[in-house]
C-alpha cells in the first residue's frame, strides 16, 4: 500500500493522458462478463480522471481484479484484528452490559415513582384551584360586607342623635362647643333631607321628630343670642368695629346655620342688623357733620370775585378776619397741603374745637369722606364675611348716604370758593384711587355722584369770575397808580392756583376756561391802561401787571404754559415801547436825527446834505447832559416799576438802545466833511459802556 501511494505521488508529477491510456486498455474476459456492458465507461472515466486513487491504478497498469483482491485481503485482515480486540474486551463488555441493565431497572423504578408524583401533583393542583376559587369568593363577600358595614355605620352615625348633642343644644350656652354641635346638627338635617333612601328608611320615623325639635330649639336659641349682641351696637360710645371683629365674627357660623335651617329667622336677624346699623351710622355721621360745621372757615362769598371792586366786595367789612384768610379766596397757598395729607386720619372735632381752630371747607370735606371710606370699607368687609351678602351694605348705608347728601346739598349751593371746589374735586379723585387700591367697590357710585355734582358748581363759580371781568366797571376799578392792579393780582393768583391743581390731571376743559378768562382780563387791563393820560404811564402800568402775572405763574408752573408765554410776549413788546418812550423823553433830538438823517450819505451833493453845523448842537448837547439824563432815567425806572429785577432789565435795554443810537450818530459824523472837528466833543463809547455797567451793578 505504501509503495502504491509512493508511486502515485510520482505519477502525479508527470502529465497523465487518460484518453491514451484507456485506448490501450484491455480487459480480461471472464466467464461472467459476457453480459457486462461497457456503455458509458468513457464518461465515467472522464468524471474520475481527477481522483488520485483511480489515476494511480490506471497509471500502473494494474488490473481491476487484482486491485480488488488486494482491497478484500486488507479488509479481511482488519476484520480479524477487530475480532481479536472484541475478544480481549469481552469481560468489560459483559460488565458494561450488566451495568446498563441495572441502570435501566433503576430508571424504570424512578419512572414509576415520578408517575405517582405527577398524579398526586395533578390532584393537589386541582385542590388548590378549588381553594383559590373559594378564597376569591370569600374575599368578595368580605369586601361587600365591609362596604355594607361602612355604609350602615355611616348611616347610623349620620342619623342617630347622641344624648350629648341633645344636652348641648337644649341646655348649653352659645360658645365654640355649641357651634361645633350646630355643625353636626346641620349635617344630620341635610342628610335626612337630601338622601331619598334615607327618607324611605324606617329609622327616620323615629329620629326625624327629634331632629326637628332640636332644629327649632337651636334656631330659637341662636336668634335670641344674636339679637342680644346686635342690641349692644346701639349702646352709646360703642366701638362698632371692635364689636364686629372681636365678637360677632366669632359667631358667623350661627348666621350660616340660620340661613340654611331657619330662613325666616335669618331674615329677621338680617333685617334687625340692617336697621340697627342704618340708624347707628346715620346718627354717627349726623353728629360728626354737626361738629365739623362748627369748625368751618368761610373763605368766599358771592361778591368775592376777580373783577369786583375792593370797596364793594365786603372784604373791608370783614376787618377782623385775618388777611391770610382773605387772600385764600384767589391764592392756593398752603391749602394745597390737603392733597398731600389725603390719607391722614380724619379730624377729631372736639380736639380741634378745644384749640379754637377753623378750617376751609375742603379740610372738613376730606375728613368727612375719609371717615366715610374707612367706615364703608370696614362695614363692607364685615357684611361679606358675616352674612355672605354684599347687598346688605347698600341697604345699611342708605341712611348715612342720605345724611351726607343732605349736608352736602346745603353746603354746595352756597359755596363760591372756586379754589376749594377744585381741591374737593382733587380729593374725590384721590379717594377713588384709594378705594380702588383697597379693591372695595361699594363707594364707586357715591364718589362718582359727588364728583359729577362738584364740576357744575365749579363751572358756575368760574363763570361768575369770568362775568365779573367782562362786566367790570372800569371807572370804579381804575386807580391813579401804575403799580400792579389788585384785579390783575387776583387773576394771576387764581389762574396760577388752577394751573397748579390741574398739572397732575391735565383737564382740557379747564384749560379752555382759563383761556377765556385770560382773554377777558387782557381786555379789562387794556381798558384800565387807557385811563392813564400819558402813553408812558399806560405802558408802565401794563409792564408792571404783566411782570407780576408772569412771576406768579412761574411759581405754579416753572416750565411755563400757554398763558405764561402769552404774557411774556406782551411784556417784551411793551418793554420795547417803554424804552423808546424813555429815550425820547431825554434824547429826542438825537433819536429823531438818527432815524431820519443818519442813513443818508453826507458826501452827496444834495441840497439837504448833512453838515457839521447841523450835528454840532446834538453832539454838544449830549456831551453836556448825558450822565444827568441817565441818572434821571435810572430814578424814573426805580420809581415806576415794582420789581427791581424788571426795572434793571428795562434800564439795561434803554441804555443799550441809547448806545446804539449814539454809535450810529458817531458813524454819521465820521462821514461828514469836516466832522473831525467835533471829535473833541464826542463822548467815547467806552465811557457810555462804563456807565451802563455801573447802573447794572446798582441793582
Amino acid at each position: 500500500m505504501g509503495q502504491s501511494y509512493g508511486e502515485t505521488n510520482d505519477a502525479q508529477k508527470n502529465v497523465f493522458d487518460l484518453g491514451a491510456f484507456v485506448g490501450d486498455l484491455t480487459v480480461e474476459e471472464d466467464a461472467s462478463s459476457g453480459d457486462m456492458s461497457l456503455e458509458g465507461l468513457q464518461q465515467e472515466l472522464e468524471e474520475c480522471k481527477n481522483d488520485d486513487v483511480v489515476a494511480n491504478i490506471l497509471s500502473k497498469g494494474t488490473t481491476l481484479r487484482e486491485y480488488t483482491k488486494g482491497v478484500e485481503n486488507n479488509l479481511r485482515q482488519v476484520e480479524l484484528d477487530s475480532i481479536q480486540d472484541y475478544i480481549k474486551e469481552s469481560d468489560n463488555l459483559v460488565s458494561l452490559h450488566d451495568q446498563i441493565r441495572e441502570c435501566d431497572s433503576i430508571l424504570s423504578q424512578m419512572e414509576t415513582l415520578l408517575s405517582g408524583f405527577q398524579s398526586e401533583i395533578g390532584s393537589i393542583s386541582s385542590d388548590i384551584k378549588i381553594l383559590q376559587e373559594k378564597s376569591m369568593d370569600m374575599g368578595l363577600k368580605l369586601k361587600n360586607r365591609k362596604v355594607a358595614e361602612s355604609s350602615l355605620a355611616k348611616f347610623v352615625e349620620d342619623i342617630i342623635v347622641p344624648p350629648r348633642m341633645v344636652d348641648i343644644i337644649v341646655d348649653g350656652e352659645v360658645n365654640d362647643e355649641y357651634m361645633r354641635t350646630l355643625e353636626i346638627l346641620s349635617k344630620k338635617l341635610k342628610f335626612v333631607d337630601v338622601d331619598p333612601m334615607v327618607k324611605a328608611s324606617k329609622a327616620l320615623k323615629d329620629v326625624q321628630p327629634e331632629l326637628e325639635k332640636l332644629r327649632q330649639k337651636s334656631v330659637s336659641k341662636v336668634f335670641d343670642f344674636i339679637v342680644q349682641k346686635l342690641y349692644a351696637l346701639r349702646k352709646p360710645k360703642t366701638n362698632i368695629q371692635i364689636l364686629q371683629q372681636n365678637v360677632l365674627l366669632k359667631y358667623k357660623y350661627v348666621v350660616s346655620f340660620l340661613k340654611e335651617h331657619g330662613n325666616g329667622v335669618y331674615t329677621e336677624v338680617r333685617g334687625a342688623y340692617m336697621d340697627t346699623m342704618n340708624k347707628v351710622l346715620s346718627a354717627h355721621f349726623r353728629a360728626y357733620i354737626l361738629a365739623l360745621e362748627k369748625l368751618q372757615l368761610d373763605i368766599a362769598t358771592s361778591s368775592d370775585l376777580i373783577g369786583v371792586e375792593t370797596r364793594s366786595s365786603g372784604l373791608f367789612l370783614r376787618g377782623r378776619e385775618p388777611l391770610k384768610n382773605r387772600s385764600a379766596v384767589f391764592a392756593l397757598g398752603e391749602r394745597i397741603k390737603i392733597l398731600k395729607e389725603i390719607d391722614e386720619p380724619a379730624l377729631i372735632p372736639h380736639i380741634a374745637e378745644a384749640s379754637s381752630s377753623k378750617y376751609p371747607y375742603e379740610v372738613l370735606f376730606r375728613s368727612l369722606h375719609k371717615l366715610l371710606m374707612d367706615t364703608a370699607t370696614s362695614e363692607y368687609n364685615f357684611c361679606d364675611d358675616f352674612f355672605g351678602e354684599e347687598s346688605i351694605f347698600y341697604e345699611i348705608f342708605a341712611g348715612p348716604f342720605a345724611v351726607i347728601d343732605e349736608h352736602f346739598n346745603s353746603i354746595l349751593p352756597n359755596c363760591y370758593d372756586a379754589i376749594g371746589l377744585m381741591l374737593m374735586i382733587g380729593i374725590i379723585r384721590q379717594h377713588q384711587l384709594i378705594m380702588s387700591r383697597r379693591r372695595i367697590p361699594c363707594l364707586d357710585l357715591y364718589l362718582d355722584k359727588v364728583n359729577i355734582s362738584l364740576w357744575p358748581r365749579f363751572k358756575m363759580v368760574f363763570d361768575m369770575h369770568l362775568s365779573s371781568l367782562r362786566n367790570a366797571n372800569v371807572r370804579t376799578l381804575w386807580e391813579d397808580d401804575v403799580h400792579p392792579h389788585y384785579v390783575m393780582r387776583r387773576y394771576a393768583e387764581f389762574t396760577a392756583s388752577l394751573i397748579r391743581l390741574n398739572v397732575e390731571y391735565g383737564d382740557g376743559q379747564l384749560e379752555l376756561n382759563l383761556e377765556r378768562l385770560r382773554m377777558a382780563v387782557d381786555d379789562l387791563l387794556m381798558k384800565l391802561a387807557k385811563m392813564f393820560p400819558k402813553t408812558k404811564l399806560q405802558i408802565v402800568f401794563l409792564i408792571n401787571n404783566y411782570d407780576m402775572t408772569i412771576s406768579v405763574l412761574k411759581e405754579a408752573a416753572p416750565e411755563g404754559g400757554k398763558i405764561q408765554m402769552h404774557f411774556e410776549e406782551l411784556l417784551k413788546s411793551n418793554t420795547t415801547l417803554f424804552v423808546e418812550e424813555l429815550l425820547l423823553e431825554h434824547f429826542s433830538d438825537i433819536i429823531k436825527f438818527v432815524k431820519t438823517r443818519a442813513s443818508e450819505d453826507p458826501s452827496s451833493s444834495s441840497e439837504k446834505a448833512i453838515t457839521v453845523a447841523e450835528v454840532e448842537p446834538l453832539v454838544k448837547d449830549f456831551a453836556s447832559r448825558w450822565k444827568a439824563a441817565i441818572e434821571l432815567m435810572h430814578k424814573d425806572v426805580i420809581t415806576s416799576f415794582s420789581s427791581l429785577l424788571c426795572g434793571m432789565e428795562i434800564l439795561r435795554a434803554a441804555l443799550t438802545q441809547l448806545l446804539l443810537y449814539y454809535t450810529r450818530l458817531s458813524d454819521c459824523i465820521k462821514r461828514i466833511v469836516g466832522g473831525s472837528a467835533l471829535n473833541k466833543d464826542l463822548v467815547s463809547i467806552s465811557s457810555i459802556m462804563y456807565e451802563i455797567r455801573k447802573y447794572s451793578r446798582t441793582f
Side-chain angles (χ1 to χ4, degrees):
M1 289 290 290
Q3 185 179 0
S4 299
Y5 284 116
E7 294 174 354
T8 303
N9 291 333
D10 294 336
Q12 286 177 350
K13 297 178 183 178
N14 300 318
V15 179
F16 174 69
D17 187 358
L18 183 61
F21 178 78
V22 174
D24 297 332
L25 182 64
T26 59
V27 181
E28 296 181 2
E29 294 180 359
D30 189 81
S32 60
S33 62
D35 298 331
M36 183 179 295
S37 174
L38 297 178
E39 184 180 358
L41 177 61
Q42 182 66 33
Q43 181 179 356
E44 291 180 2
L45 290 175
E46 287 293 332
E47 292 176 356
C48 294
K49 70 179 181 178
N50 293 328
D51 188 282
D52 293 340
V53 177
V54 175
N56 189 26
I57 294 171
L58 295 178
S59 64
K60 291 180 178 181
T62 306
T63 60
L64 291 175
R65 190 175 300 276
E66 291 177 354
Y67 187 80
T68 301
K69 288 180 180 180
V71 171
E72 287 178 354
N73 291 332
N74 291 336
L75 287 174
R76 190 175 294 112
Q77 184 62 41
V78 170
E79 181 181 0
L80 291 174
D81 293 341
S82 296
I83 290 171
Q84 292 298 320
D85 291 338
Y86 276 113
I87 291 171
K88 291 178 181 180
E89 297 294 330
S90 60
D91 293 337
N92 293 334
L93 291 174
V94 171
S95 176
L96 178 63
H97 177 71
D98 292 340
Q99 290 177 2
I100 291 172
R101 288 183 64 184
E102 289 177 2
C103 288
D104 185 58
S105 175
I106 292 171
L107 290 174
S108 176
Q109 293 176 4
M110 290 182 65
E111 181 181 8
T112 303
L113 182 61
L114 291 174
S115 296
F117 284 163
Q118 184 178 9
S119 176
E120 290 179 2
I121 289 172
S123 175
I124 292 172
S125 176
S126 176
D127 292 341
I128 290 173
K129 186 174 182 181
I130 293 171
L131 290 174
Q132 185 179 10
E133 292 175 353
K134 289 181 178 180
S135 176
M136 292 177 64
D137 185 53
M138 291 174 66
L140 181 60
K141 290 179 180 179
L142 179 61
K143 183 178 179 181
N144 291 336
R145 287 176 182 179
K146 285 183 177 180
V147 172
E149 181 186 5
S150 175
S151 300
L152 184 60
K154 188 176 184 306
F155 173 81
V156 172
E157 182 183 356
D158 289 340
I159 201 170
I160 195 171
V161 181
R164 175 63 179 166
M165 186 177 77
V166 176
D167 293 340
I168 294 174
I169 294 294
V170 175
D171 301 323
E173 294 182 358
V174 179
N175 50 26
D176 292 342
E177 184 183 15
Y178 194 91
M179 286 191 291
R180 288 194 296 270
T181 307
L182 282 182
E183 291 183 26
I184 297 172
L185 177 60
S186 176
K187 291 178 181 178
K188 293 182 182 298
L189 291 171
K190 291 178 183 177
F191 178 70
V192 300
D193 286 340
V194 174
D195 197 332
M197 295 184 66
V198 175
K199 292 182 179 180
S201 67
K202 294 181 179 180
L204 181 61
K205 295 179 181 179
D206 296 332
V207 176
Q208 191 169 21
E210 299 301 323
L211 288 175
E212 179 60 22
K213 290 177 183 178
L214 290 176
R215 185 193 70 81
Q216 294 177 359
K217 180 63 179 178
S218 59
V219 166
S220 174
K221 196 165 189 175
V222 297
F223 172 73
D224 294 338
F225 175 80
I226 289 295
V227 169
Q228 182 183 2
K229 296 297 181 184
L230 294 182
Y231 283 151
L233 295 170
R234 300 185 181 185
K235 293 180 181 180
K237 298 182 180 180
T238 299
N239 192 317
I240 296 174
Q241 294 182 7
I242 291 180
L243 184 63
Q244 288 175 336
Q245 298 297 322
N246 296 345
V247 179
L248 292 179
L249 280 180
K250 289 172 58 179
Y251 301 101
K252 67 179 182 179
Y253 180 74
V254 169
V255 176
S256 300
F257 182 83
L258 290 178
K259 186 186 291 188
E260 292 177 347
H261 306 293
N263 193 46
V265 176
Y266 168 76
T267 304
E268 291 184 35
V269 171
R270 182 177 180 274
Y273 178 80
M274 289 190 300
D275 181 63
T276 298
M277 291 304 297
N278 188 309
K279 292 178 180 178
V280 169
L281 292 178
S282 297
H284 283 185
F285 276 99
R286 187 176 286 106
Y288 188 72
I289 288 171
L290 290 174
L292 287 181
E293 289 176 349
K294 297 177 183 179
L295 306 175
Q296 184 174 347
L297 174 66
D298 292 329
I299 297 294
T301 65
S302 59
S303 59
D304 291 325
L305 303 172
I306 297 175
V308 175
E309 182 189 0
T310 303
R311 290 184 293 273
S312 64
S313 65
L315 290 174
F316 289 121
L317 298 178
R318 295 180 286 178
R320 295 183 181 179
E321 188 175 334
L323 181 62
K324 63 178 183 179
N325 293 340
R326 287 184 284 141
S327 65
V329 176
F330 307 105
L332 182 60
E334 298 296 318
R335 297 173 72 183
I336 196 172
K337 287 184 178 179
I338 194 67
L339 296 179
K340 298 178 181 178
E341 302 168 354
I342 197 71
D343 213 15
E344 293 293 316
L347 284 175
I348 301 176
H350 68 271
I351 295 178
E353 191 173 357
S355 62
S356 301
S357 300
K358 296 287 184 179
Y359 303 95
Y361 183 71
E362 69 268 9
V363 176
L364 310 181
F365 180 84
R366 185 206 69 84
S367 287
L368 176 60
H369 283 82
K370 170 64 175 173
L371 179 64
L372 175 64
M373 284 195 306
D374 293 343
T375 306
T377 299
S378 174
E379 190 62 31
Y380 181 84
N381 289 330
F382 175 78
C383 290
D384 190 26
D385 290 344
F386 193 67
F387 291 98
E389 297 183 40
E390 298 176 359
S391 59
I392 294 179
F393 169 85
Y394 299 100
E395 297 183 42
I396 292 172
F397 264 74
F401 283 153
V403 171
I404 297 173
D405 286 343
E406 180 184 357
H407 160 74
F408 196 57
N409 291 336
S410 67
I411 292 291
L412 196 60
N414 298 314
C415 181
Y416 297 94
D417 181 11
I419 304 298
L421 289 167
M422 272 303 293
L423 284 170
M424 285 188 274
I425 291 172
I427 289 169
I428 287 295
R429 285 172 173 167
Q430 294 283 356
H431 283 172
Q432 287 175 324
L433 292 175
I434 290 173
M435 295 302 287
S436 176
R437 287 195 293 268
R438 292 181 182 179
R439 299 184 182 277
I440 304 294
C442 59
L443 291 183
D444 288 354
L445 294 177
Y446 171 78
L447 294 177
D448 285 341
K449 183 182 72 172
V450 174
N451 190 44
I452 290 172
S453 65
L454 285 170
W455 273 110
R457 183 64 191 177
F458 170 79
K459 181 65 166 57
M460 192 199 79
V461 175
F462 187 91
D463 288 344
M464 290 175 65
H465 285 287
L466 182 62
S467 299
S468 72
L469 290 174
R470 290 176 174 174
N471 303 325
N473 189 330
V474 178
R475 294 187 177 278
T476 59
L477 289 177
W478 184 76
E479 297 176 350
D480 191 8
D481 186 359
V482 295
H483 291 86
H485 198 278
Y486 62 84
V487 169
M488 198 63 184
R489 179 168 292 278
R490 289 176 185 173
Y491 163 79
E493 292 175 345
F494 184 75
T495 301
S497 299
L498 295 183
I499 289 174
R500 190 174 177 186
L501 291 174
N502 195 44
V503 167
E504 186 175 350
Y505 306 106
D507 188 272
Q509 190 62 41
L510 180 59
E511 292 177 356
L512 293 176
N513 287 326
L514 288 175
E515 185 65 21
R516 292 166 58 209
L517 193 69
R518 195 269 306 162
M519 294 170 65
V521 83
D522 273 350
D523 184 56
L524 177 61
L525 193 63
M526 292 302 299
K527 292 177 181 178
L528 290 172
K530 290 178 181 178
M531 295 293 291
F532 289 94
K534 295 181 180 180
T535 303
K536 179 184 173 184
L537 294 177
Q538 295 177 7
I539 297 172
V540 170
F541 175 75
L542 291 174
I543 289 175
N544 277 326
N545 281 280
Y546 292 150
D547 179 66
M548 178 273 299
T549 303
I550 292 169
S551 299
V552 175
L553 291 177
K554 281 183 177 179
E555 293 179 4
E559 68 278 2
K562 292 181 180 180
I563 296 177
Q564 181 180 325
M565 292 172 62
H566 167 77
F567 285 112
E568 287 173 348
E569 289 294 327
L570 292 177
L571 177 62
K572 183 178 179 181
S573 60
N574 280 276
T575 298
T576 303
L577 294 176
F578 177 78
V579 167
E580 289 296 321
E581 288 291 331
L582 185 62
L583 293 177
L584 284 172
E585 186 177 333
H586 297 281
F587 303 102
S588 58
D589 293 338
I590 291 178
I591 293 173
K592 182 178 179 182
F593 175 81
V594 170
K595 287 184 176 181
T596 58
R597 305 295 304 277
S599 59
E600 297 178 5
D601 186 2
S603 61
S604 63
S605 58
S606 171
E607 295 180 358
K608 295 184 179 181
I610 301 173
T611 62
V612 174
E614 185 177 356
V615 298
E616 184 177 5
L618 298 178
V619 173
K620 290 183 177 182
D621 178 66
F622 183 83
S624 64
R625 63 183 188 86
W626 70 278
K627 287 186 179 181
I630 290 177
E631 179 63 28
L632 290 174
M633 290 170 57
H634 173 233
K635 291 180 179 179
D636 193 0
V637 168
I638 290 295
T639 57
S640 296
F641 298 104
S642 305
S643 170
L644 292 179
L645 184 61
C646 179
M648 180 185 71
E649 293 295 333
I650 291 173
L651 181 60
R652 184 182 293 115
L655 295 177
T656 302
Q657 187 63 34
L658 174 62
L659 181 62
L660 292 175
Y661 283 139
Y662 193 73
T663 301
R664 291 178 63 187
L665 176 64
S666 299
D667 292 341
C668 180
I669 290 173
K670 292 176 182 178
R671 298 195 302 270
I672 298 174
V673 178
S676 58
L678 299 176
N679 288 342
K680 64 181 185 301
D681 296 319
L682 286 174
V683 179
S684 65
I685 300 299
S686 60
S687 298
I688 299 175
M689 289 294 296
Y690 174 78
E691 290 296 321
I692 292 176
R693 286 193 294 271
K694 184 179 73 173
Y695 282 105
S696 297
R697 289 194 298 270
T698 300
F699 290 95

